[in-house]
């Protein structure tokens, strides 16, 4: 039977039961109403007529109205004879009323009253009998209706339980089948024998599953061919490439990666953490990978490869895919590429050595130039005219700038070669600030800047290399003076924090665009549009010096509101 017919049949049965119960209830109520109406029409009226005649007897005499009422009610009673023997009693009453004389006596009235009482008793007995019958009938009807209603409830409950199961069972089976197909179980088949509506759905579903299974089998060779092709391409690359799953399973390694890590092809498919227990290089790689996820991993890996020390820069690329039919991306693993930067490392080392050598060699002639300029300025060798003094001042400024750049290059070469040595000692922050203020006093006077010092009464001492940190504060103060307009303020001071001391330099110049707040600490970077000359190394060296002490340096600046550079040093 079709599902539509089953639903129609179930609803029709419920409707028929409700209709039948309603019709039967109306019929029984109508019967009870008719029985009650019969009692009212037959017996109650007779009682009313008898009551009226008794009232007339009480008032009878010479009053013609009472006699008229008596005869009128007698006539109505004669027309309402409904009970057995009621006719005989009514006839006797008529005879006795007809024998009433003009002068009514007590015996006559007593006889008539006795007749009326007998009529009233007969009707009262009839009312009691009929009421008992009606009550029995009403009780029977009540129990019949209760039984019928209970039967209807049971049948309706059965239908309510049967219909949802009838409708939802094939839908649940269809959902299970779709889930199996989504999980790539293309062997799943549905069987809805006897259910005509879902037989066609099951047939279409089974055909789809069969075609998907056939497609999977037919495309498996193509997929394997494509996989082999991709593996061949990856193996031809000269960069070590490693693929890790979301659970850190080794999905693939090309030949370069296997050679660099000294592993065999049997590691593919194994847990990388397990393999790393017996392989130091892979353990370092996983450690760098974890550090890279947290923002670290910037330092290149030093690995012995190609019969020499080689440097590899790890590039970690998280892989995400959007499954078919979904909108959210799912993490499927990491692609790790080790870029061989040995050649660039060697060139960078050669560049650093060259800069260090040249800077060191340039300091001697620059010092000689400065000494010669000092001698030229001495009046004992002769007096210089104004034009010569101006030329000497220009040469001195250029020499000072060249000496400053040479010092910055030497500092940077020490940092790059790892030869930076710190000689820390307990130092008061005010000593560092005083050194910077004195070192930039001539520069501040030249640019007409007013340097203000803000220093609290109580502040902790710091354990730093005073020469290096003083150089940092001097560099920040010098930059602030260079980038401040004439007759402006430059504030240098210190602030006590819970576990650190902050030394800051604040100017009120043009400010720095927030886009360049990170770039200004990179080597050789200069803010576009700036007219101040420099090597672009000062802030980069300052950052290296401060971080070597375990501190931090940062900038707060807005266009048109000046800049505030802060150095945080641990107490």
């Amino acid at each position: 039977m079709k599902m539509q017919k089953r639903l129609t049949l179930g609803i029709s049965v419920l409707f028929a039961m409700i209709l039948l119960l309603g019709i039967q209830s109306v019929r029984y109520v109508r019967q009870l109403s008719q029985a009650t109406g019969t009692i009212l029409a037959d017996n109650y009226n007779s009682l009313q007529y008898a009551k009226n005649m008794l009232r007339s007897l009480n008032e009878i005499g010479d009053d013609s109205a009472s006699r008229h009422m008596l005869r009128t009610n007698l006539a109505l009673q004669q027309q309402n004879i409904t009970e057995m023997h009621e006719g005989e009693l009514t006839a006797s009453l008529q005879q006795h009323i007809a024998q009433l004389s003009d002068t009514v006596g007590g015996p006559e009235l007593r006889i008539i009253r006795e007749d009326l009482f007998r009529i009233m008793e007969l009707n009262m007995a009839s009312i009691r009998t009929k009421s008992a019958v009606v009550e029995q009938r009403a009780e029977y009807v009540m129990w019949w209706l209760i039984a019928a209603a209970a039967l209807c409830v049971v049948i309706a409950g059965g239908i309510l339980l049967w219909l949802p199961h009838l409708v939802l069972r094939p839908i649940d089976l269809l959902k299970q089948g779709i889930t199996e197909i989504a999980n790539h179980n293309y062997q799943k088949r549905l069987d809805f024998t006897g259910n005509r509506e879902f037989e066609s759905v099951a047939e279409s579903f089974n055909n789809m599953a069969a075609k998907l299974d056939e497609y999977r089998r037919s495309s498996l060779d193509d997929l394997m061919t494509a996989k082999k092709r991709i593996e061949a391409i990856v193996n031809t690359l000269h960069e070590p490439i490693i693929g890790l799953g979301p659970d850190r399973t080794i999905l693939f390694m090309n030949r370069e990666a296997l050679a660099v890590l000294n592993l065999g092809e049997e590691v593919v498919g194994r847990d990388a953490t397990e393999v790393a227990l017996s392989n130091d290089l892979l353990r370092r790689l996983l450690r760098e990978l974890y550090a890279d996820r947290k923002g670290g991993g910037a330092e290149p890996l030093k690995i012995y490869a190609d019969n020499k020390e080689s440097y590899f820069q790890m590039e970690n690329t998280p892989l995400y895919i959007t499954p078919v039919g979904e909108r959210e991306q799912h993490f499927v693993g990491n692609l790790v590429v080790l870029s061989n930067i040995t050649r660039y490392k060697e060139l960078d080392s050669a560049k650093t050595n060259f800069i260090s050598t040249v800077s060191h060699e340039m300091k001697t002639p620059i010092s000689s130039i400065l000494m010669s300029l000092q001698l030229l300025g001495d009046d004992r060798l002769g007096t210089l005219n104004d034009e010569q003094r101006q030329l000497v001042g220009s040469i001195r400024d250029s020499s000072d700038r060249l000496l400053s750049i040479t010092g910055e290059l030497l500092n940077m070469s020490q940092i790059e070669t790892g030869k930076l040595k710190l000689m820390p000692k307990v130092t008061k922050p005010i000593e560092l600030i005083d050194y910077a203020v004195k070192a930039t006093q001539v520069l501040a006077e030249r640019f007409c800047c007013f340097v203000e010092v803000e220093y609290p009464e109580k502040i902790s001492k710091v354990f730093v290399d005073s020469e290096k940190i003083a150089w940092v504060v001097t560099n920040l103060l010098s930059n602030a003076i260079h980038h401040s307009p004439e007759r402006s303020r430059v504030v240098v001071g210190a602030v006590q924090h819970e576990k650190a001391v902050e030394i800051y330099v604040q100017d009120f110049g043009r400010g720095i665009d927030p886009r360049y707040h990170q770039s200004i600490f990179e080597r050789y970077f200069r803010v576009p549009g700036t007219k101040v000359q420099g090597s672009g190394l000062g802030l980069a060296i300052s950052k290296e010096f401060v971080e070597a002490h375990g501190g931090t340096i940062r900038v707060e600046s807005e266009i048109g509101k000046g800049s505030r550079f802060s150095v945080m040093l641990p107490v």
Side-chain angles (χ1 to χ4, degrees):
M1 183 184 297
K2 291 185 176 181
M3 183 177 295
Q4 182 180 0
K5 290 184 178 180
R6 293 181 181 179
L7 293 174
T8 304
L9 178 61
I11 296 174
S12 300
V13 170
L14 287 176
F15 180 77
M17 289 170 53
I18 294 172
L19 183 62
L20 180 62
L21 184 61
I23 293 174
Q24 195 68 12
S25 300
V26 171
R27 188 169 69 86
Y28 282 130
V29 171
R30 188 173 182 183
Q31 288 178 358
L32 293 175
S33 177
Q34 289 176 354
T36 305
T38 300
I39 294 174
L40 291 174
D42 295 348
N43 304 107
Y44 179 77
N45 289 338
S46 295
L47 291 174
Q48 189 66 34
Y49 300 151
K51 183 179 179 182
N52 292 335
M53 285 187 283
L54 286 173
R55 188 182 299 113
S56 300
L57 288 176
N58 294 331
E59 299 173 358
I60 198 168
D62 296 335
D63 188 2
S64 59
S66 299
R67 290 177 180 270
H68 178 70
M69 182 179 292
L70 180 64
R71 292 189 180 92
T72 299
N73 283 279
L74 177 61
L76 293 174
Q77 172 59 27
Q78 289 175 341
Q79 296 175 1
N80 192 43
I81 297 173
T82 58
E83 304 298 329
M84 187 178 296
H85 304 300
E86 188 178 3
E88 299 172 0
L89 294 174
T90 303
S92 174
L93 176 63
Q94 180 184 7
Q95 182 181 358
H96 292 151
I97 291 175
Q99 293 175 357
L100 284 174
S101 59
D102 293 336
T103 304
V104 180
E108 294 177 345
L109 293 177
R110 186 175 63 254
I111 294 172
I112 294 175
R113 284 193 179 96
E114 290 177 356
D115 291 338
L116 289 174
F117 286 146
R118 283 194 291 269
I119 291 174
M120 291 175 69
E121 184 179 356
L122 178 64
N123 280 279
M124 285 297 295
S126 178
I127 288 175
R128 286 192 294 269
T129 303
K130 291 180 179 179
S131 296
V133 172
V134 171
E135 289 178 0
Q136 292 178 357
R137 183 66 176 173
E139 185 175 1
Y140 168 77
V141 170
M142 181 185 68
W143 286 110
W144 190 93
L145 290 177
I146 291 175
L151 179 61
C152 291
V153 169
V154 172
I155 296 175
I159 293 176
L160 289 177
L161 293 176
W162 170 68
L163 280 179
H165 177 73
L166 174 67
V167 175
L168 295 179
R169 181 176 177 276
I171 295 177
D172 289 338
L173 293 176
L174 183 59
K175 282 172 52 180
Q176 294 175 6
I178 294 173
T179 303
E180 292 291 334
I181 292 296
N183 293 330
H184 309 290
N185 181 15
Y186 302 126
Q187 303 297 327
K188 180 67 177 179
R189 298 294 184 269
L190 297 180
D191 183 14
F192 293 126
T193 304
N195 193 328
R196 296 183 181 179
E197 284 85 354
F198 281 90
E199 280 183 352
S200 57
V201 175
E203 183 179 356
S204 301
F205 180 89
N206 296 335
N207 290 336
M208 177 193 68
K211 290 180 179 179
L212 287 174
D213 190 23
E214 181 181 356
Y215 174 76
R216 182 188 63 174
R217 293 179 180 178
S218 62
S219 60
L220 186 59
D221 292 338
D222 296 337
L223 292 175
M224 292 302 297
T225 302
K227 180 176 179 294
K228 293 293 184 182
R229 185 181 298 113
I230 293 174
E231 289 178 353
I233 294 173
V234 171
N235 282 324
T236 57
L237 297 176
H238 296 291
E239 302 291 344
I241 300 176
I242 304 171
L244 299 177
D247 55 351
R248 297 206 175 186
T249 302
I250 300 176
L251 301 179
F252 62 86
M253 278 190 183
N254 65 349
R255 283 193 290 266
E256 288 291 333
L258 293 173
V260 169
L261 298 177
N262 194 23
L263 294 172
E265 295 183 357
E266 68 276 1
V267 299
V268 177
R270 294 177 57 187
D271 189 346
T273 307
E274 179 184 349
V275 177
L277 294 176
S278 58
N279 189 286
D280 294 337
L281 294 179
L282 183 59
R283 184 162 59 251
R284 288 177 55 195
L285 184 65
L286 292 179
R287 186 166 57 248
E288 292 296 329
L289 176 64
Y290 181 72
D292 185 54
R293 287 184 177 178
K294 289 189 172 182
E299 291 296 326
L301 295 174
K302 185 177 180 181
I303 301 175
Y304 189 82
D306 298 331
N307 298 323
K308 65 177 181 178
E309 288 184 348
S310 302
Y311 295 88
F312 292 88
Q313 186 69 48
M314 186 186 71
E315 298 178 9
N316 173 32
T317 304
L319 301 178
Y320 296 89
I321 64 170
T322 303
V324 179
E326 297 185 16
R327 295 182 178 180
E328 296 184 358
Q329 290 186 334
H330 290 242
F331 176 69
V332 295
N334 298 82
L335 179 66
V336 180
V337 179
L338 300 178
S339 301
N340 193 338
I341 60 171
T342 304
R343 179 170 173 268
Y344 305 106
K345 194 72 174 178
E346 293 173 348
L347 293 175
D348 185 67
S349 178
K351 179 262 299 179
T352 301
N353 292 331
F354 174 76
I355 292 176
S356 177
T357 301
V358 171
S359 300
H360 184 74
E361 294 297 330
M362 288 177 63
K363 289 192 71 174
T364 301
I366 293 174
S367 299
S368 299
I369 293 174
L370 291 174
M371 179 63 69
S372 300
L373 290 173
Q374 187 175 0
L375 293 175
L376 284 175
D378 193 344
D379 293 337
R380 290 177 294 178
L381 298 179
T383 303
L384 300 178
N385 58 31
D386 294 339
E387 184 176 358
Q388 290 172 337
R389 287 194 183 91
Q390 185 176 1
L391 289 174
V392 169
S394 177
I395 296 172
R396 182 181 291 108
D397 291 341
S398 299
S399 299
D400 289 337
R401 185 166 60 252
L402 186 59
L403 185 62
S404 174
I405 294 174
T406 303
E408 290 180 353
L409 290 174
L410 283 173
N411 287 331
M412 183 56 65
S413 63
Q414 289 179 3
I415 294 172
E416 290 181 346
T417 56
K419 296 180 180 179
L420 179 63
K421 294 182 180 180
L422 300 179
M423 292 182 291
K425 63 179 181 178
V426 177
T427 307
K428 296 180 180 179
I430 190 62
E431 296 176 359
L432 304 175
I433 295 174
D434 286 342
Y435 177 87
V437 172
K438 293 177 181 178
T440 57
Q441 183 176 1
V442 176
L443 183 65
E445 292 175 354
R446 183 188 306 172
F447 283 88
C448 298
C449 289
F450 303 97
V451 179
E452 299 179 3
V453 177
E454 295 180 351
Y455 197 77
E457 294 182 0
K458 294 183 179 181
I459 192 169
S460 302
K461 297 179 181 180
V462 290
F463 188 67
V464 296
D465 187 328
S466 57
E467 182 181 348
K468 299 290 190 301
I469 300 302
W471 187 94
V472 172
V473 180
T474 303
N475 180 70
L476 296 178
L477 187 56
S478 174
N479 289 342
I481 295 172
H482 277 106
H483 293 86
S484 296
E486 291 187 0
R487 301 188 180 279
S488 63
R489 298 164 51 229
V490 175
V491 181
V492 57
V495 178
Q496 175 70 54
H497 293 279
E498 183 177 358
K499 295 182 179 181
V501 170
E502 176 187 1
I503 300 176
Y504 63 89
V505 176
Q506 183 174 4
D507 65 72
F508 303 91
R510 58 178 296 182
I512 304 173
D513 194 312
R515 294 178 297 173
Y516 307 121
H517 284 185
Q518 298 296 328
S519 302
I520 58 176
F521 295 102
E522 297 177 0
R523 302 172 187 176
Y524 308 109
F525 179 84
R526 296 180 63 188
V527 177
T530 183
K531 297 181 181 180
V532 180
Q533 296 181 356
S535 62
L537 292 174
L539 290 177
I541 296 173
S542 298
K543 182 174 182 292
E544 296 288 346
F545 281 173
V546 172
E547 291 182 351
H549 287 82
T552 58
I553 184 172
R554 61 189 178 93
V555 61
E556 299 174 6
S557 179
E558 294 183 21
I559 297 296
K561 296 184 179 180
S563 305
R564 187 179 191 273
F565 285 84
S566 302
V567 175
M568 298 289 290
L569 297 171
V571 176

